Amino acid sequence: MPQVGSIDAGVYPEAVLRTLGSVGVFEQHADGTAAGLLQAVDAMGEVAATCLSTAFCTWCQDALVWCLARSAEPGASKEFAAVASGTRLGGPGLSNAMKTLSGIEPMALSGTRVPGGYRVHGRLPWVSNLAPGHRFVTIFALEDGTRVMAVLTAGTEAVELAASSRLVALEGTGSYAVLVRDAFVPESDVVAPDAASFMPRIRNGLVLLQTGMGLGLARGAAALMRAEDRDRQQTTLPLGSQAVEERADALRGRVVALAGRHEDPARATFLDVLRLRLDVSWLALEAAQAAMLHAGARGYQQGSEAYRRLREAQFVAIVTPSAKHITAELAKAA
């Protein structure tokens, strides 16, 4: 992917994403089967082996497809085809909702019932894979405590995209703060009128899909080490390319097993998914650091691929559910 440098510098890979959509990448998991989920994870991993920014945008699109495909609402069904084909791009604005479910932060968006739909306001600090006209799924709370999942359109007067702090990596992912000012959300844009019961049925799939990013990045780091080995023999590192590949294979085996349980809303299953997600984060971090050390001084330079992979791996560990979030959840269960 020759655009990797420009994407890392902040160019949004819209053309690449639309191409991925046109060849069916975003619809592989829509049927909800374990095989479909695994295909989506593997496809994301192939992208992440080269460019995590594009892989993260792929996950965002996959997550939006996942939410729409699992919905029983007629509006979601109408939205699905355009999103699954990549004709319409977007992502999930669900980081706040997942943290709310864990008791980490309050719900950021609130809504009021009005004829034909809802009026919604609030602020989401980070939503990715966005540009004007893109769609994103999010959750807002009503005065009676009901939580509603719906799709909003980004870049309108009522749903404003605002530049946020610059990131150390993933600058090309279309990430913005979203300011929602009395936006009208029609009933036809509702994905789940009771998001509190809907989220436990979709969260395993959302998190399992993320494993493709970390596994692909780890394999990309292994490839980088092998390329270095062609120039000079290196035998002193504790984590070499073969060990990375073996650990990635073992983690993929756990993805296979848990993909078959993704519909299970039990907390025990969710904790197993979180443990897997955490282990994938650790592998990505360790593999990227090993690639940096393997490269030596050549890696410790601005613009080097080893440095980019290390910055990307840190993102794998902090994107919701982050390593901090997961360890807190696991501590509660101990």
Side-chain angles (χ1 to χ4, degrees), residues 42-96:
D42 286 344
M44 196 181 305
E46 289 186 32
V47 177
T50 300
C51 178
L52 192 76
S53 293
T54 306
F56 178 55
C57 289
T58 299
W59 174 77
C60 290
Q61 191 77 12
D62 279 349
L64 179 55
V65 169
W66 185 250
C67 293
L68 294 173
R70 307 272 73 73
S71 173
E73 299 301 303
S77 298
K78 293 179 181 178
E79 186 91 10
F80 170 80
V83 175
S85 67
T87 303
R88 177 171 290 157
L89 299 177
L94 296 175
S95 176
N96 165 252

Side-chain angles (χ1 to χ4, degrees), residues 267-268 271 274-275 326-334:
R267 179 163 174 77
L271 291 176
L274 291 180
R275 289 186 188 96
I326 294 171
T327 52
E329 285 285 344
L330 296 178
K332 287 191 295 186

Side-chain angles (χ1 to χ4, degrees), residues 130-309:
L130 292 187
H134 288 198
R135 301 275 271 172
F136 67 97
V137 64
T138 192
I139 295 175
F140 54 87
L142 302 180
E143 293 177 352
D144 64 2
T146 301
R147 293 169 179 174
V148 179
M149 180 183 286
V151 180
L152 279 67
T153 301
T156 65
E157 184 176 347
V159 186
E160 180 183 350
L161 299 180
S164 196
S165 302
R166 286 189 62 83
L167 305 172
V168 300
L170 285 292
E171 271 294 292
T173 57
S175 297
Y176 298 91
V178 179
L179 311 178
V180 184
R181 300 188 179 97
D182 197 34
F184 176 65
V185 178
E187 291 282 359
S188 59
D189 282 346
V190 170
V191 174
D194 181 9
S197 63
F198 186 64
M199 278 296 290
R201 294 191 286 112
I202 66 168
R203 64 186 178 183
N204 291 332
L206 289 174
V207 178
L208 283 171
L209 284 166
Q210 288 184 337
T211 62
M213 291 189 288
L215 293 176
L217 190 151
R219 295 190 195 278
L224 192 57
M225 285 189 275
R226 288 193 294 272
E228 286 286 340
D229 284 341
R230 287 197 292 268
D231 296 333
R232 50 189 171 85
Q233 188 64 33
Q234 177 64 268
T235 60
T236 57
L237 278 166
L239 185 65
S241 59
Q242 182 175 345
V244 170
E245 294 283 5
E246 289 173 354
R247 284 176 60 183
D249 287 344
L251 289 169
R252 184 183 180 277
R254 289 167 62 187
V255 175
V256 173
L258 285 169
R261 298 165 54 195
H262 78 82
E263 292 183 316
D264 182 5
R267 179 163 174 77
T269 298
F270 184 52
L271 291 176
D272 285 344
V273 171
L274 291 180
R275 289 186 188 96
L276 169 61
R277 172 71 170 79
L278 185 63
D279 288 345
V280 169
S281 295
W282 295 149
L283 176 60
L285 286 165
E286 291 176 47
Q289 178 161 281
M292 171 68 86
L293 296 175
H294 206 74
R298 285 191 290 182
Y300 201 65
Q301 298 177 41
Q302 286 282 355
S304 76
E305 186 172 357
Y307 177 51
R308 173 174 62 85
R309 305 264 74 176

